[in-house]
Amino acid sequence: MSAPDTNIEKQERRHSASLLGIRGVLVFAAIMMLLWGGYGVVKADEDASAFKGEDAAAEQTTAVPTDVYEPGTNKASTPVESN
């Protein structure tokens, strides 16, 4: 329960520094979130451009072949040559 004789205007004047600080922090947080989001968009464009072109083709040619197993067994479907 609150006091029945609360004067909101008087309390606002008494706490003006605290309220100003809270507003300042909210503005600062909004600016930081906008900058962070903008940085993410710019960085995503740079990262996406790195995967286009010759780099993607080079990665595909250097892939290590894997063994293929028949379903339900541990036997390789391609014969493995032993030395």
Side-chain angles (χ1 to χ4, degrees), residues 23-41:
R23 288 184 191 115
V25 167
L26 289 174
V27 169
F28 177 75
I31 291 170
M32 291 303 291
M33 289 180 72
L34 288 173
L35 290 174
W36 183 42
Y39 176 77
V41 169

Side-chain angles (χ1 to χ4, degrees), residues 4-73:
D5 58 349
T6 302
N7 186 350
I8 295 176
E9 290 80 23
K10 187 176 180 182
Q11 294 297 325
E12 189 173 347
R13 273 183 304 203
R14 286 185 178 174
H15 299 96
S16 63
S18 298
L19 294 172
L20 182 64
I22 291 170
R23 288 184 191 115
V25 167
L26 289 174
V27 169
F28 177 75
I31 291 170
M32 291 303 291
M33 289 180 72
L34 288 173
L35 290 174
W36 183 42
Y39 176 77
V41 169
V42 170
K43 200 65 173 159
D45 288 341
E46 290 175 4
D47 291 344
S49 65
F51 287 109
K52 296 178 183 173
E54 298 174 4
D55 293 337
E59 288 181 16
Q60 290 177 356
T61 59
T62 59
V64 177
T66 58
D67 289 336
V68 179
Y69 293 94
E70 294 177 13
T73 66

